[in-house]
Amino acid sequence: MHLAAMKQATGEAVYCDDIPHYENELYLALITSTKAHAKIISIDRSQAEAAPGFVCFLSAKDVPGSNITGIRNDEQIFAEDTVTCVGHIIGAIVADTQEHAQHAAKTVKITYEELEPIITIQDAIDKQSFFLPVKKIANGDIEKGFQEADHTLEGEIYIGGQEHFYLETNCCIAVPKGEDGEMELFASTQNTTETQHLAAHALGVPANRIVVRVKRMGGGFGGKESRSVLLSTAVAVAAYRTGRPVRCMLDRDEDMLITGGRHPYLGRYKVGFKKTGQITALEVTYYANAGNSCDLSQAIIDRSLFHMDNAYRIPNIIGTGYVCKTHLPSNTAFRGFGGPQGMMVAEAWMSDVAEVCGLPPEHVRKLNMYQEGDLTHFSQKLEAFNVHRCWDECLKNSAYHERRTAIAKFNKQHRWKKRGISIIPTKFGISFTLTFLNQAGALVHVYTDGSVLLTHGGTEMGQGLHTKMVQVASKALGIPNSKIHISETSTNTVPNTSATAASASSDLNGMAIYNACQTLLQRLEPYKKSNPSGTWESWIRSAYEDRVSLSATGFYRTEGIGYDLQTYHGNSSNYFSYGVACSEVEIDCLTGDHKNLRTDIVMDVGRSLNPAIDIGQVEGAFVQGIGLFTLEELKYSPDGNLYTRGPGMYKIPAFGDIPAEFNVSLLRDCPNSKAIYSSKAVGEPPLFLSASIFYAIKDAIKSARAESGITGILRLDSPATPERIRNACVDQLTKLCPVPEPGTFKPWSIRV
C-alpha cells in the first residue's frame, strides 16, 4: 500500500504548513491587482503601516537581486509599472500574524490608469497577440489528401480551462540562516531546482546558498511545477529583508485567482475522408490562451501537436499551434500538458466523420487506428502498439454491442431521459518535450544497522512515487521495504533535478536509484561470496569494517529521444502508454443534468510496479477528466476578473459524479523494455479517457434531437455542463428562449 496512506488518512502526515512555527516567525500577505491591464499610478500604504502587527511593505525596489523571474524571464516578482492581469502580484505586507498581514494588505490603496485588455482567444486572434514562434508539424501531401477525399468538412470546438484545485494550496516557509546569504525554503512545489534557482536569482546569491526541501504536497497536478515560485520567491525576499523566518499559505480564493490553470483551447479543423470513413487528410489549428506570460505554454502547444492524431493514422496532416498572449493570470502545466486538448479535437472531428458517413462511431475509430509498426505524423515508429488489445478487451468487458442495443430500446421508450454510450482510445507519449529534462539523480545511504536512506529527485504529491521508489530499491538490493526510508526531497542531496512531471518520474528516478543500488551491490559482492549464508546486516557490517563506502549516487538519462521541430525528425517520446474506456451516461433532457452510469477501462501500464497504486491513478485521472469535460467551468467577467474562486462557484467532481459502476483493469503480458522493471507511466495518460463520458453525453443528446426532428453534425463545446446539454436538446421549450445575437448585449461572463 501507499507508504503514507495511514498518515494521510489520520491527519498525521506532515505538509508544509504543518511545520511548527519558528521563534520570531512572520507572515506574508500578497497585494494583487484588481485590473487586467493598467499602469500603476500610486500605491498608498499609510493605513497598512499603521495597522496592528505591521513589520514591512515589500515592492519591486526591495528585491535585493533581480526582480525578473519566470520560465522565460518574462515575469516580475512584484509588478513595477504595469499590471497585466487581475491577480498580478504588486507587493506584499509582512506582519506578526496571518490575520494582521491579511488585514493590512486589504488596506493598501492602488491608483491605476486603465489600459485596454486582451482577454479571450478571439481577442488575441483579432489583435494578433501571440507568443512566438508559431508551432507547426506537417506530414504527407495535404492537397493530395483532400483531393482523394469523398467528403470534406470543417468545424471547431472550444475546450475550457480547469483549476488544479489541489487540496493543499501553495505554501512556503523561508528561514534565513544568518551568514553568507544562506536560506532554507520549505515549499509545496513539484520543482525544487527551479524554486532554488529563482530564489537565488531574486536574492542575488549563488544557488548553493539556497536549500529547498519538500516532504510532501497535498496534490500538484502540474500547478506546482512552475507557478509555485510566485509565492516562494516573494517569501524568500521577505525573509531576506527582515532576517526572520517568514511563512505564507494562500487562501483558496487567492490561489485560484493568482496561479493560473489548464489552458483554454479553440481547435479548428478541416478533415477529408472517404465514404467508408477512412481519413485521407487533416488540417488542424490550435489556439491556446496562455495568459500574461509564456511560462510552459510553448511546450504545451508542442504536446498538443504531437497528440493531434490521438490513436489514428492520418496519411496527410498539418497542425499549427498559436500561443495567445492575453491579460489573464498565466496558465500552466496541468495533468496531460496539452495532450487532452489535442486529442479532444481529434475525437470531435472523428465523431463528425461518423455522423456524415452514417456509420457507428466505434467502427470509424477502429478503421482509422494505427497498426503495429506504423509511423506517427512526427515520424516515430510505433512499437508494442497495444491499443487494439485494449480496444478488443474493453469491448468485451463492457459488453458494448449488447448495451448499445439496450440503450436504443431505452431511448425509444423515454422522451425526456436519454442514454448514450461511447468508446474512446488514447495514445500518450512519455517523456519531457525538452530533451535535457529527461535525466534524474539519486543518493542511497546504507547505515551500519542495515537500514537504507533513499533520496531521489522526485517529489511526493500523493501519487505514490516514494512508495514505488522504495519498491525499486527493495527489489534491486534484495531487502524488505521496511528497511528503506525516504525522508524528503531536497536540493542539497540530489541537485539539478527535473520537475516531478510529464509522468516520467518513476521511469527517471527509478532508473537512477537502480543505478546507485548496482554500485552498492558491486561493493558488497566480495562479502556475499565470502559469507553466502550471511545476512544483509552481516554483509553491511563486514563492508563497513573493511572501510568500504556504503553511500552511492545514481544517475540516469533517457537515450534515443529528442525531436527537432524544424526538420520534423527524431523521437518526441521514449514510448507510449495506451488505454481505452467505454462509458454510458443518462441525461435529463429537461434539466441538462446527467448521470455517469458505467465506465470500463483497460489500461496498458506495462508490468506495473504497483498495481494498486496504478489503478488508483487511473481512477483519479479519469474522475479529474470528468471534471474537465463535464463539470468545471471557469467564469470570467468581460474585463478579466475571475468569478469562480472557490467551491461555492466552481464545481469539482464529487462522489456522485463517479460512475455508479466503475471497472478498471490493467492489460496483462505487455512488458515495456524502455522503463524500470518493464513498467510504464500512468499519471497523465488515463485522463483523456474521460472524453468517453463527454461523447456518451453527445450520443444521448443526438437521440433527444432526433425526436425533435433535428439531425446532422452537433457542435458541443467542453465542458458539457447542464446548460450546454439542456440547450443542445432542442425542443419546444428551448425555442421559447432564443439566444440573442452577439454584440446586442453585454454578457456577465465570457468564454476566454
Side-chain angles (χ1 to χ4, degrees):
M1 63 183 284
H2 191 298
L3 290 176
M6 194 66 72
K7 297 185 187 74
Q8 290 169 339
T10 59
E12 295 175 84
V14 175
Y15 297 87
C16 185
D17 198 46
D18 295 319
I19 295 171
H21 285 243
Y22 287 83
E23 186 177 355
N24 294 324
E25 182 180 291
L26 301 172
Y27 197 90
L28 177 141
L30 297 174
I31 300 164
T32 58
S33 168
T34 57
K35 305 297 179 183
H37 190 203
K39 290 182 179 179
I40 300 172
I41 303 301
S42 65
I43 301 174
D44 179 1
R45 58 181 195 254
S46 56
Q47 289 188 48
E49 291 173 347
F54 174 86
V55 174
C56 70
F57 168 83
L58 298 174
S59 64
K61 62 181 177 60
D62 297 300
V63 179
S66 173
N67 191 45
I68 302 299
T69 187
I71 296 289
R72 297 295 182 96
N73 294 319
D74 60 350
E75 301 182 59
Q76 296 175 329
I77 299 169
F78 300 116
E80 293 187 61
D81 304 313
T82 306
V83 293
T84 53
C85 70
V86 177
H88 199 157
I89 299 172
I90 297 172
I93 294 291
V94 182
D96 58 348
T97 67
Q98 178 180 5
E99 293 77 11
H100 286 158
Q102 291 181 341
H103 169 73
K106 290 175 182 176
T107 67
V108 175
K109 293 181 173 61
I110 302 171
T111 305
Y112 304 94
E113 178 190 329
E114 291 196 54
L115 305 172
E116 184 181 2
I118 297 171
I119 303 299
T120 69
I121 289 173
Q122 192 58 53
D123 289 343
I125 294 171
D126 293 342
K127 297 179 181 178
Q128 293 292 290
S129 178
F130 303 120
F131 288 103
L132 299 177
V134 174
K135 297 301 185 79
K136 186 174 288 188
I137 294 181
N139 203 338
D141 187 333
I142 196 75
E143 291 184 7
K144 180 184 174 185
F146 281 118
Q147 289 170 1
E148 293 173 348
D150 296 325
H151 302 282
T152 301
L153 67 83
E154 297 183 44
E156 65 179 39
I157 180 174
Y158 173 81
I159 305 154
Q162 186 180 22
E163 163 61 29
H164 296 94
F165 221 103
Y166 22 67
L167 289 179
E168 176 204 29
T169 59
N170 275 284
C171 180
C172 182
I173 304 168
V175 184
K177 291 301 184 182
E179 58 179 67
D180 300 325
E182 293 181 31
M183 186 174 291
E184 195 170 39
L185 295 178
F186 298 88
S188 183
T189 180
Q190 297 170 235
N191 198 339
T192 54
T193 294
E194 192 71 18
T195 303
Q196 175 194 35
H197 284 171
L198 291 181
H201 189 58
L203 301 183
V205 300
N208 62 8
R209 303 295 201 277
I210 309 296
V211 176
V212 178
R213 300 172 60 183
V214 179
K215 181 72 173 178
R216 62 170 60 82
M217 286 167 277
F221 310 120
K224 296 174 182 176
E225 180 176 349
S226 62
R227 304 314 291 166
S228 59
V229 300
L230 291 172
L231 183 65
S232 60
T233 310
V235 171
V237 170
Y240 179 91
R241 280 298 175 197
T242 61
R244 293 163 62 178
V246 177
R247 178 187 304 247
C248 182
M249 185 173 191
L250 297 182
D251 289 343
R252 179 65 63 185
D253 60 334
E254 292 178 301
D255 198 292
M256 292 186 72
L257 177 68
I258 294 168
T259 60
R262 189 187 296 275
H263 292 64
Y265 265 57
L266 177 65
R268 291 176 174 163
Y269 53 86
K270 178 182 177 183
V271 60
F273 52 98
K274 301 283 191 180
K275 58 187 176 183
T276 59
Q278 186 76 48
I279 308 300
T280 61
L282 175 68
E283 187 175 342
V284 176
T285 305
Y286 296 108
Y287 298 93
N289 194 331
N292 68 342
S293 75
C294 194
D295 191 66
L296 297 164
S297 300
Q298 293 281 3
I300 288 166
I301 206 78
D302 284 343
R303 185 163 282 269
S304 297
L305 292 170
F306 285 131
H307 289 77
M308 63 182 172
D309 57 339
N310 192 8
Y312 310 116
R313 183 180 179 275
I314 307 160
N316 308 290
I317 185 171
I318 182 168
T320 308
Y322 292 88
V323 178
C324 300
K325 183 177 182 179
T326 63
H327 295 110
L328 293 178
S330 186
N331 287 313
T332 189
F334 199 135
R335 197 177 196 165
F337 204 76
Q341 294 98 315
M343 292 184 282
M344 191 65 170
V345 176
E347 293 303 336
W349 56 253
M350 185 60 76
S351 63
D352 289 353
V353 168
E355 184 71 30
V356 171
C357 294
L359 295 169
E362 68 274 11
H363 170 80
V364 179
R365 288 186 167 98
K366 180 70 180 290
L367 176 70
N368 286 286
M369 275 184 200
Y370 284 113
Q371 300 295 328
E372 175 72 22
D374 280 349
L375 296 181
T376 66
H377 64 286
F378 45 91
S379 303
Q380 182 163 346
K381 186 176 181 180
L382 294 173
E383 301 172 317
F385 183 70
N386 291 323
V387 165
H388 289 280
R389 286 187 59 199
C390 293
W391 182 270
D392 293 340
E393 194 168 309
C394 191
L395 281 174
K396 180 182 176 182
N397 292 353
S398 64
Y400 177 87
H401 295 293
E402 295 88 336
R403 286 166 59 206
R404 167 64 78 185
T405 302
I407 286 168
K409 182 179 179 181
F410 176 92
N411 289 344
K412 284 181 180 179
Q413 296 171 345
H414 297 80
R415 175 62 183 96
W416 303 111
K417 297 274 189 180
K418 298 295 179 185
R419 291 184 179 178
I421 192 170
S422 178
I423 183 167
I424 299 286
T426 190
K427 167 181 66 69
F428 195 90
I430 304 301
S431 71
F432 284 96
T433 310
L434 288 174
T435 305
F436 70 82
L437 293 176
N438 294 283
Q439 60 175 298
L443 176 64
V444 182
H445 295 316
V446 184
Y447 295 98
T448 54
D449 64 351
S451 64
V452 176
L453 181 63
L454 182 62
T455 312
H456 59 90
T459 55
E460 175 62 58
M461 53 187 132
Q463 83 281 38
L465 177 62
H466 282 353
T467 302
K468 285 186 173 183
M469 296 303 94
V470 166
Q471 289 180 271
V472 167
S474 170
K475 184 172 182 177
L477 296 174
I479 60 176
N481 292 345
S482 58
K483 291 187 181 296
I484 305 169
H485 179 65
I486 296 177
S487 175
E488 64 178 5
T489 307
S490 59
T491 54
N492 62 348
T493 52
V494 179
N496 309 321
T497 59
S498 297
T500 304
S503 303
S505 297
S506 289
D507 295 357
L508 295 172
N509 294 290
M511 289 299 288
I513 289 167
Y514 180 84
N515 176 253
C517 290
Q518 294 308 305
T519 300
L520 289 168
L521 289 172
Q522 288 175 9
R523 295 173 187 169
L524 292 174
E525 187 61 26
Y527 307 99
K528 288 185 175 182
K529 283 185 177 179
S530 64
N531 183 17
S533 60
T535 62
W536 168 258
E537 287 80 5
S538 67
W539 298 328
I540 294 301
R541 190 71 193 176
S542 298
Y544 168 71
E545 291 174 352
D546 213 15
R547 296 177 294 176
V548 171
S549 172
L550 295 173
S551 176
T553 59
F555 183 79
Y556 176 72
R557 51 176 282 175
T558 309
E559 300 291 348
I561 60 170
Y563 191 80
D564 188 334
L565 279 165
Q566 305 303 316
T567 63
Y568 307 142
H569 179 74
N571 291 334
S572 72
S573 302
N574 187 27
Y575 61 87
F576 297 91
S577 288
Y578 307 108
V580 174
C582 174
S583 293
E584 180 182 351
V585 303
E586 180 179 297
I587 66 170
D588 186 321
C589 301
L590 295 176
T591 66
D593 194 18
H594 81 276
K595 297 177 182 177
N596 300 321
L597 301 179
R598 175 176 170 179
T599 291
D600 295 87
I601 297 175
V602 178
M603 199 73 204
D604 169 20
V605 297
R607 188 170 290 157
S608 173
L609 292 174
N610 187 315
I613 284 178
D614 284 351
I615 288 173
Q617 284 291 290
V618 173
E619 292 170 342
F622 188 86
V623 173
Q624 194 166 45
I626 288 175
L628 170 63
F629 293 130
T630 69
L631 297 170
E632 300 180 42
E633 189 171 30
L634 293 164
K635 291 186 178 293
Y636 287 87
S637 71
D639 53 3
N641 187 31
L642 179 66
Y643 291 132
T644 47
R645 299 190 194 177
M649 289 261 314
Y650 186 77
K651 183 172 173 55
I652 62 172
F655 292 120
D657 299 303
I658 300 170
E661 185 176 346
F662 197 9
N663 305 308
V664 177
S665 61
L666 304 181
L667 194 67
R668 295 179 180 275
D669 303 320
C670 52
N672 172 36
S673 62
K674 295 187 176 182
I676 182 72
Y677 291 132
S678 302
S679 62
K680 273 190 178 183
V682 71
E684 293 170 291
L687 185 136
F688 178 67
L689 293 178
S690 44
S692 60
I693 295 280
F694 179 92
Y695 286 99
I697 290 172
K698 194 170 182 179
D699 184 51
I701 292 172
K702 286 181 178 180
S703 180
R705 289 166 68 89
E707 290 211 21
S708 297
I710 301 172
T711 57
I713 292 174
L714 163 66
R715 173 177 173 172
L716 182 65
D717 290 333
S718 174
T721 58
E723 296 94 330
R724 287 201 175 106
I725 294 171
R726 177 65 190 98
N727 288 327
C729 294
V730 178
D731 51 49
Q732 65 269 29
L733 297 176
T734 60
K735 292 175 182 177
L736 297 174
C737 303
V739 178
E741 288 294 320
T744 62
F745 68 101
K746 184 176 180 179
W748 76 276
S749 71
I750 58 172
R751 188 176 74 179
V752 299

